[in-house]
Each structure stands twice: as C-alpha cells, then as structure tokens.
Amino acid sequence: MSHPPVAGGFLQRALAQVPFLRRNGRRLARNAADADDLVQETLVRALERQEELRDPARLRGWLGTLQRSIHLNAVRGLRPRLEVLEGGRAAEATPDAAPTAEEALLARALGDGLAAALAALPPEWREALWLREVEELSYQEIARAQGCPVGTVRSRLARARRELAGRLREEDRHVGL
C-alpha cells in the first residue's frame, strides 16, 4: 500500500509529539507495551489521514483525538476477564490493572491525599483535568479528544476542581491542618 508523499514536514512535526503520545497512550492503555502499540498505530493512522488536519497548529490535539479513537475502538467489548474456579463453578473476576504511568507519577509527585482525591474522580473528569492542567490542551482540543461539546468540558473541569477542593479540605480537617 503506497502513501502520498509527506508534505511540509508533517512526519517530523508528528514525531515531535511522540512524548505526548506516549504519556497519553500509557494513561489510556494502562501498560507500556500496549501504549507503544497505540503510539505506533496513531502515527500510522495520522500519516494516512494527514490531509484531514485542517489547522497544523492543532496537531497535538488532533493526534490525541485520533489516539483516543483508536484506543476506544480497540477495547470496546474486549475487557480482560479472568475465570476463577470456585467449588467446581466458574466465577468471573477482573484482574487488577497495574498502575498506569500517570498513576505512578501522581503517587510519587503528589501527596497521598491529592492522589487519592484524583483517583476518586470519575474517569471523564480526571481525563479532562489531566489534558487541561498537565498536557495544556485547549478546551476545544479536549472536547475533540473526549468526543463531547466544549460546554461539557467546562462542566467536567469545574466539577473536577470543585470535587478535588472539597476532598482536600475534608482531608485537611481530618489531619488537623
């Protein structure tokens, strides 16, 4: 299968986003090997669809959206399941996932209370907060990455921040600060 020539250094600009794609991939896939596969698939798909990128200044957000779509399409209905035999009957269990790179970083860099407060957030809120505060994506880029309207992103961020602040205040009361 032949691809159109890579015009205007698209490949170089896309490759410059590999650190972002790796961080995002590890957060999505929850392990390094799957994340690396996800990065590779994202780059291949980006090369195939480079003409769909309307604004080259928004390459990072576009790649993040593409990566998330690839990941979601790959895992829909494919949740890992472990069959455990109990007394001659099969009982279903889901294996505990190893901590993601994001979770490990948060656990090392943040206090226990903040890491726990972040972990307690609904996944959509936590993802929106991560993409905004750590990856520094715009609200529009987050909306594209999460497949929702900008207003929903604003709501998720506001709720996530309010929930975090409330949990941290509660922890401070328990600690006696």
Side-chain angles (χ1 to χ4, degrees):
M1 180 173 161
S2 66
H3 296 287
V6 179
F10 178 84
L11 180 59
Q12 289 74 23
R13 291 191 325 272
L15 289 175
Q17 296 301 320
V18 166
F20 160 72
L21 291 172
R22 279 200 175 122
R23 286 189 308 271
N24 201 42
R26 286 188 177 145
R27 186 179 50 76
L28 291 168
R30 300 203 177 267
N31 75 59
D34 290 344
D36 288 342
D37 291 344
L38 186 55
V39 169
Q40 181 177 354
E41 179 64 26
T42 301
L43 290 172
V44 168
R45 189 86 48 92
L47 284 172
E48 292 172 351
R49 297 182 176 184
Q50 62 184 299
E51 68 280 352
E52 294 176 17
L53 177 63
R54 300 195 197 301
D55 183 358
R58 296 181 184 243
L59 177 63
R60 177 183 251 191
W62 182 75
L63 288 170
T65 300
L66 191 60
Q67 186 178 45
R68 185 172 189 267
S69 294
I70 291 167
H71 171 72
L72 291 175
N73 289 337
V75 299
R76 280 200 176 104
L78 301 177
R79 296 280 180 223
R81 292 169 50 184
L82 176 65
E83 194 169 298
V84 180
L85 296 178
E86 290 181 7
R89 294 184 344 194
E92 291 183 11
T94 303
D96 291 336
T100 65
E102 173 188 0
E103 292 164 345
L105 174 68
L106 290 175
R108 283 194 310 266
L110 305 174
D112 291 339
L114 182 54
L118 283 168
L121 293 176
E124 298 84 12
W125 296 7
R126 188 173 51 246
E127 179 183 26
L129 193 62
W130 179 268
L131 292 173
R132 179 70 189 133
E133 302 302 332
V134 177
E135 299 299 340
E136 299 179 344
L137 295 183
S138 71
Y139 283 28
Q140 291 79 11
E141 290 169 322
I142 297 168
R144 280 193 299 276
Q146 291 193 318
C148 65
V150 173
T152 302
V153 170
R154 292 180 199 283
S155 174
R156 287 175 180 172
L157 288 170
R159 290 176 178 168
R161 290 172 179 143
R162 186 172 45 248
E163 181 72 18
L164 276 177
R167 287 181 180 271
L168 293 174
R169 277 193 300 273
E170 184 65 28
E171 181 182 322
D172 287 348
R173 277 192 285 257
H174 289 317
V175 175
L177 295 177

